[in-house]
Amino acid sequence: MGVFPDPLLQLIRGLGELPGVGEQTAERLAFHILQGGKDEALALARAIQEVKEKLKACRICNAVSLESTCAICADTTRDRGLILVVESERELAAFERMGRWQGTYHVLGARGVAGNRIHLEELRASLAGEVKALLERCRAGVREVILATNPDKRGDLTLSLLEEALGREKLPLSRLARGLPQGAHIEWLGAPVLEEALEQRRALRGEGAS
Ligand SMILES: [Zn+2]
């Protein structure tokens, strides 16, 4: 790569750090940007800048938001007594696409922690702040908390950490119905599957499950 001018080299390096992008793909993408239209490339650069500069975490649910309170938390028609706990915004988006959930969310967002190589203590440390925020939210008055973790190693570890943290609280706690294919990701599942998993949720304690 030493033959390329420095700005191009920087772009290739930057792209190469994205998940799933190897060196060759990074090079191909960089040349695509270099040789493509200037307006499109600058719009992409601006979008990256705005995402980093303008977005923040919702003060209630931790979802990414333009305002300090996200659109869902600010929506008075949503049932604030119900919290669906998800690992990231990608699952939140899947449930919103399903269109049947009228409660709110809590986004754990263990950012920067890599997929299936995750260890329990590493995950516990990365989630500590958000688990504490969720606990405070629960204590302020919630009717039911539903844990909607992904059916994979990381999701299972997250589920046991949450059960441990929330199990002592006197509130109905439930999880999605079993039957989601192991290793599948919530964001890939169709609306009917998600809706069924939510409707047939299982109580972990209290009277949360329907
Ligand atoms: Zn929110």
Side-chain angles (χ1 to χ4, degrees):
M1 287 203 304
V3 292
F4 299 138
D6 196 49
L8 184 57
L9 212 52
Q10 297 293 335
L11 182 60
I12 293 169
R13 282 202 188 122
L15 292 167
E17 282 172 14
L18 298 175
V21 179
E23 200 176 313
Q24 283 189 350
T25 304
E27 223 172 271
R28 196 164 49 80
L29 290 173
F31 274 98
H32 178 83
I33 291 169
L34 177 68
Q35 290 157 353
K38 188 175 179 182
D39 290 348
E40 291 86 343
L42 292 182
L44 175 63
R46 257 195 315 280
I48 293 172
Q49 189 175 6
E50 293 202 348
V51 153
K52 297 308 286 182
E53 286 181 354
K54 292 193 176 167
L55 297 184
K56 50 196 122 195
C58 169
R59 67 189 172 88
I60 299 170
C61 75
N62 194 38
V64 69
S65 170
L66 257 177
E67 309 295 335
S68 60
T69 303
C70 75
I72 293 172
C73 290
D75 182 348
T76 52
T77 68
R78 306 288 292 229
D79 186 342
R80 291 168 191 185
L82 298 173
I83 302 179
L84 189 61
V85 182
V86 291
E87 289 175 74
S88 78
E89 279 86 1
R90 301 204 308 276
E91 290 84 54
L92 183 156
F95 281 108
E96 284 301 288
R97 278 197 299 273
M98 178 190 81
R100 297 291 297 273
W101 176 244
Q102 285 305 310
T104 61
Y105 296 90
H106 203 93
V107 180
L108 295 170
R111 291 168 178 99
V113 179
N116 268 339
R117 292 193 304 275
I118 185 80
H119 295 291
L120 184 66
E121 290 315 312
E122 194 187 353
L123 190 64
R124 189 194 303 277
S126 87
L127 292 180
E130 234 20 72
V131 169
K132 187 164 170 268
L134 175 61
L135 266 173
E136 280 166 15
R137 232 182 125 187
C138 294
R139 285 168 186 161
V142 162
R143 291 200 317 285
E144 184 184 351
V145 176
I146 302 156
L147 308 178
T149 51
N150 286 301
D152 57 12
K153 184 185 171 196
R154 181 202 170 109
D156 291 345
L157 288 176
T158 304
L159 183 71
S160 49
L161 283 176
L162 290 171
E163 262 194 86
E164 179 189 298
L166 297 171
R168 291 183 288 269
E169 302 300 307
K170 289 185 171 46
L171 83 160
L173 185 64
S174 51
R175 55 167 291 174
L176 293 184
R178 284 189 196 281
L180 294 183
Q182 184 66 24
H185 202 281
I186 285 172
E187 68 179 310
W188 305 331
L189 299 171
V193 179
L194 273 189
E195 194 174 334
E196 193 180 321
L198 191 57
E199 273 176 7
Q200 298 180 5
R201 58 189 182 266
R202 303 185 326 133
L204 290 165
R205 63 151 291 137
E207 293 158 1
S210 54

